Amino acid sequence: MADAKPEISFIGLGAMGFGMATNLVKQGYKVTGFDVWKPTLEKFEAAGGSTAMTPAESVKDKDYCVCMVATAQQAQAVLIEGDSPAVPALPRGAALLLCSTVPCAYVQGLEKQLVDLGREDIRLIDAPVSGGAGRAADGTLSIMAGGSDDSIEKGRFLLQEMSDPNKLYIVKGGVGAGSNMKMCHQVLAANQILAASEGMGFASHLGLDLENTRQAVLKSDAWAWMFEHRLPRMLDPEFKPVASALTIILKDTSIITSEARRAGFPTPMASTAEQVYFSGLGRGYGPDDDSSLIRLYNEGKGKIGPVKGLAESDESKLELVASLLKGIYLCSAAEAIAFANKCSLDLGQVFDLCINAAGGSTVLQTIGPDMIKLCRGEQLSTGSGTGFRVVARQLQAAVEEAQRLKAPVYLGSQALVLTRLARQLASQATGDVSSAFIVKVWGI
């Protein structure tokens, strides 16, 4: 007779946590859930789960606990500092999977707190997830797991139950490495979410039909996963349904920029995106879908007197939109890969995650491998990749046209500055260099 499946404690039954927990129920596990919102507990019971009124009650006699709350502050409360926290009640040798997106500094600090509390027996796994509520419910998430070998082995079956078989990444580097890998992916996500609004806002100022622009971009080398998946909601008159609120990606940019400051690493692209997100937050857009930020780009349209650009045909205008997007994607890819290198992550593993997840783009797919070679100190073959000067010239043409139209292009303008810096670094090179050379701006 097969061994009975172990009982699982699940803390945090929000949009992602509920799907993850109910998936485990469907897989035959007895899951005891805790959440601060009573209606969620009632819904979980209806889905076949058991519930507890406190974190401590939920983990009693459970050798496995998954924590999927929204923030590091919430994690600290339910695990250690709040009423009836989980950690003191966990059995000895229990596995604790922290699946929340939190800073590396927090999860490494949590590991130290466990030692200070005399609970070094707890096998902590740093395991942030990606993929959305649908994949959470299907058990096909991308999971980036870091921890000791013993911890990973104890929790491996649970990680496998919640993830796509091809998207479970065991990240070398111990606790904190998983969070760093998720953070580097979110550099791409944060920039490309905003780039969708920036590109379509630019298209609007150019007078292009937005549905035609959407189709043209999706068929071009300016394709990105975020662009494809945000556009249906962006083109909805009410930006519905709300699938990912602005406050969610703003939490991620705050992790990126705070960890970058801690590491002394520059993140000009993600920092620019964060400031634009703050502008949206100040306008009351926080609960709205992040695709709705096209409003920021169009709010001045028609209010600034007569403007006229140089581009006349739709074809030439679409080329400008594509050039703007490709310039942004190039610089965000370089920032993400360079940051991953700074964090001592396996760049091949990071690349595999990003091209198969929400950070994917044609630019990353084609230029990323050469960026990784440069990070590793390898030489590029002659004529490798798309010429950098061509990309820089096309981006400049887009930014200059936006200026004529008085259209804001926050990320595009920052990307243009970075290409200028890269051109100075490449000034001694004979002939054109690969677009991957942009990664050199980050001190590679």
Side-chain angles (χ1 to χ4, degrees):
M1 183 175 178
D3 291 340
K5 293 185 176 182
E7 295 186 23
I8 310 294
S9 167
F10 208 106
I11 299 175
L13 299 173
M16 291 288 289
F18 187 86
M20 293 166 70
T22 53
N23 168 64
L24 292 172
V25 171
K26 293 173 186 175
Q27 299 307 316
Y29 292 91
K30 182 178 180 182
V31 183
T32 301
F34 168 77
D35 196 273
V36 295
W37 199 45
K38 187 176 180 180
T40 295
L41 295 177
E42 295 171 352
K43 183 180 175 184
F44 187 58
E45 285 183 344
S50 301
T51 59
M53 299 308 296
T54 67
E57 182 186 346
S58 73
V59 302
K60 183 180 179 182
D61 300 325
K62 312 291 191 310
D63 284 333
Y64 299 90
C65 174
V66 179
C67 181
M68 189 58 193
V69 293
T71 66
Q73 291 78 11
Q74 290 179 10
Q76 185 69 8
V78 297
L79 293 175
I80 295 176
E81 293 184 353
D83 295 333
S84 300
V87 164
L90 277 168
R92 293 199 65 79
L96 172 59
L97 283 67
L98 181 58
C99 293
S100 308
T101 299
V102 298
C104 170
Y106 172 73
V107 69
Q108 288 181 337
L110 176 61
E111 183 179 39
K112 184 177 183 302
Q113 288 182 79
L114 293 177
V115 174
D116 293 342
L117 291 169
R119 292 308 311 269
E120 60 268 30
D121 61 283
I122 293 175
R123 295 174 181 179
L124 177 62
I125 303 175
D126 166 35
V129 304
S130 179
R135 284 174 55 192
D138 291 340
T140 57
L141 290 166
S142 297
I143 301 183
M144 298 128 271
S148 69
D149 291 344
D150 287 346
S151 297
I152 294 294
E153 284 311 305
K154 184 174 178 68
R156 186 181 293 273
F157 80 94
L158 195 48
L159 295 167
Q160 290 171 337
E161 291 282 21
M162 298 187 293
S163 65
D164 183 306
N166 297 316
K167 295 181 179 180
L168 172 56
Y169 299 92
I170 305 302
V171 189
K172 295 180 180 179
V175 168
S179 287
N180 274 339
M181 190 165 173
K182 172 71 183 288
M183 174 185 68
C184 291
H185 174 271
Q186 293 306 99
V187 171
L188 292 166
N191 280 290
Q192 291 172 14
I193 287 170
L194 187 60
S197 285
E198 184 156 315
M200 294 301 279
F202 183 36
S204 179
H205 282 270
L206 286 164
L208 288 167
D209 177 83
L210 297 190
E211 178 57 33
N212 290 342
T213 302
R214 170 194 179 189
Q215 295 299 328
V217 170
L218 292 180
K219 295 174 184 176
S220 75
D221 55 359
W223 174 87
W225 191 96
M226 285 296 188
F227 185 94
E228 180 173 350
H229 286 260
R230 260 48 181 188
L231 260 291
R233 302 194 297 279
M234 186 184 297
L235 297 182
D236 182 88
E238 297 182 351
F239 309 109
K240 297 289 181 66
V242 176
S244 187
L246 169 60
T247 50
I248 295 175
I249 192 61
L250 189 54
K251 181 193 78 169
D252 290 343
T253 59
S254 296
I255 291 173
I256 293 164
T257 55
S258 62
E259 286 292 287
R261 287 190 295 270
R262 190 169 74 97
F265 183 82
T267 52
M269 294 297 294
S271 296
T272 299
E274 182 179 45
Q275 294 306 308
V276 180
Y277 289 139
F278 281 144
S279 295
L281 191 68
R283 287 166 172 78
Y285 301 160
D288 297 344
D289 195 83
D290 55 32
S291 65
S292 70
L293 288 182
I294 190 173
R295 292 177 285 183
L296 287 176
Y297 290 91
N298 286 339
E299 62 185 9
K301 187 181 175 185
K303 302 177 182 177
I304 49 180
V307 293
K308 182 174 176 57
L310 296 181
E312 296 184 355
S313 69
D314 282 1
E315 182 181 4
S316 61
K317 292 175 181 179
L318 287 168
E319 288 177 357
L320 289 170
V321 173
S323 294
L324 177 73
L325 290 171
K326 288 188 290 184
I328 294 168
Y329 298 158
L330 178 68
C331 291
S332 60
E335 186 163 287
I337 290 172
F339 203 0
N341 189 63
K342 174 72 173 180
C343 294
S344 301
L345 296 174
D346 179 330
L347 298 184
Q349 192 178 50
V350 172
F351 179 72
D352 184 73
L353 166 69
C354 293
I355 61 171
N356 290 300
S361 69
T362 301
V363 170
L364 177 65
Q365 179 83 45
T366 55
I367 308 298
D370 280 349
M371 290 181 178
I372 291 172
K373 287 181 180 178
L374 291 174
C375 289
R376 292 171 174 167
E378 300 174 17
Q379 295 297 314
L380 301 184
S381 58
T382 304
S384 178
T386 306
F388 173 67
R389 288 186 176 88
V390 172
V391 174
R393 184 172 64 250
Q394 292 173 340
L395 175 59
Q396 179 170 323
V399 172
E400 288 177 345
E401 184 76 344
Q403 185 179 58
R404 294 184 194 101
L405 298 172
K406 303 299 185 286
V409 283
Y410 306 103
L411 293 175
S413 295
Q414 182 63 268
L416 183 60
V417 170
L418 294 169
T419 63
R420 290 291 184 182
L421 293 173
R423 288 187 68 174
Q424 292 178 8
L425 294 173
S427 60
Q428 302 303 315
T430 57
D432 203 356
V433 296
S434 167
S435 296
F437 193 84
I438 189 75
V439 78
K440 293 283 189 179
V441 172
W442 282 266
I444 300 301

